[in-house]
Amino acid sequence: MNMIPIQHYLLVGAALFSIGLAIAITKRHFIGILLGIELMLNAVNINLVAFSRHDPEKLSGQLFSLFVIVVAAAEVTVALGIILRVYGRFRTVDPDEVSELKK
Amino acid sequence: MEAAAFYGFSVLSIAAAFFILFSRNLIYAAFALFLTFLGVAALYVLAGADFLGVAQIMIYVGGILVLLIFGIMLTHKPDKRDNATAHNKIEIPTKREIWGFLLGTGFFVFLGRIIFLSDFKMAGNSNNSKSTIKTIGVELMTSHLLPFEIAGILLLVALVGAAYLALNRNPAS
């Protein structure tokens, strides 16, 4: 069984992380920014899982990425609640236009 | 065979990620994120993490992506013009495109340089032929019990907070 070298996993993770960073910067929409953040979390998980392949006794990397998935789920629910409240008050989804705490 | 599957799913997820980056329509971007998550789940399985692959599909595709699409639809400004391609558009100024391109490529070059310069010495033997579910379960209940409980409390707090935030409080009253 030929093993894929770990550098290839790391390169895929790096590419996905960079694309997620570019998405989070360029999108002028709250949910677009959330899409980029989710992509970055997935890219980090690829690295953790790829290194965990060489640790079959304890699987620390896979456990860490399991907790990352849990935190991502909690984050996206709270973020969507906040986005819906902001949209209800300001009637916009552009982060540049939401620049005051009280209206 | 394994290499072909690995490179195929890598290309699938990276191409879908580029589609999200260049797409102007947020609904299309969310469905491309679906493809990216599926590709990443396949990469997990190819790296020997079968439980994580299934968890990725169930949590991300079944939970987070549905929530994101709900969010897109609820914050959608109704466009009275009867043009199907005009919905969910986001305009991107050129300055932001330039900054995003510069930061993204710069960070990728930086990470790639680190990856190629580093010299990994893999100590453990990589026996990924057996299922990881038993190991994950034993580790979660013995040496990772405190993070496990904290994750449970975090989920409860997030549930209560999201339900409180999403209550329909009418600001006019």
Side-chain angles (χ1 to χ4, degrees), chain A residues 77-102:
Chain A
T77 47
V78 175
L80 273 174
I82 294 173
I83 288 170
L84 287 185
R85 297 298 298 168
V86 167
Y87 181 73
R89 178 173 282 265
F90 289 93
R91 288 284 146 200
T92 179
V93 283
D94 189 354
D96 288 344
E97 292 178 19
V98 184
S99 57
E100 48 197 21
L101 285 174
K102 196 165 185 295

Side-chain angles (χ1 to χ4, degrees), chain B residues 83-94:
Chain B
N83 183 4
T85 60
H87 291 299
N88 290 306
K89 286 289 171 198
I90 33 180
E91 292 91 23
I92 297 175
T94 342

Side-chain angles (χ1 to χ4, degrees), chain A residues 18-19 22-24 26-27, chain B residues 16-24 29 92:
Chain A
S18 308
I19 297 170
I23 290 170
T26 52
K27 286 268 188 283
Chain B
F18 269 115
F19 182 80
I20 301 172
L21 181 57
F22 293 118
S23 163
R24 289 279 179 274
I92 297 175

Side-chain angles (χ1 to χ4, degrees), chain A residues 2 8 27 42 45 85 96, chain B residues 7 37 44 56 96 165:
Chain A
N2 54 344
H8 294 187
K27 286 268 188 283
N42 259 282
N45 276 347
R85 297 298 298 168
D96 288 344
Chain B
Y7 294 116
F37 285 158
Y44 289 171
Q56 160 96 1
R96 274 187 187 234
L165 277 173

Side-chain angles (χ1 to χ4, degrees), chain B residues 127-145:
Chain B
N127 175 23
N128 53 6
S129 58
K130 65 174 171 48
S131 169
T132 62
I133 296 177
K134 189 181 177 198
T135 317
I136 284 181
V138 169
E139 290 286 319
L140 268 184
M141 277 297 146
T142 53
S143 59
H144 292 72
L145 189 58

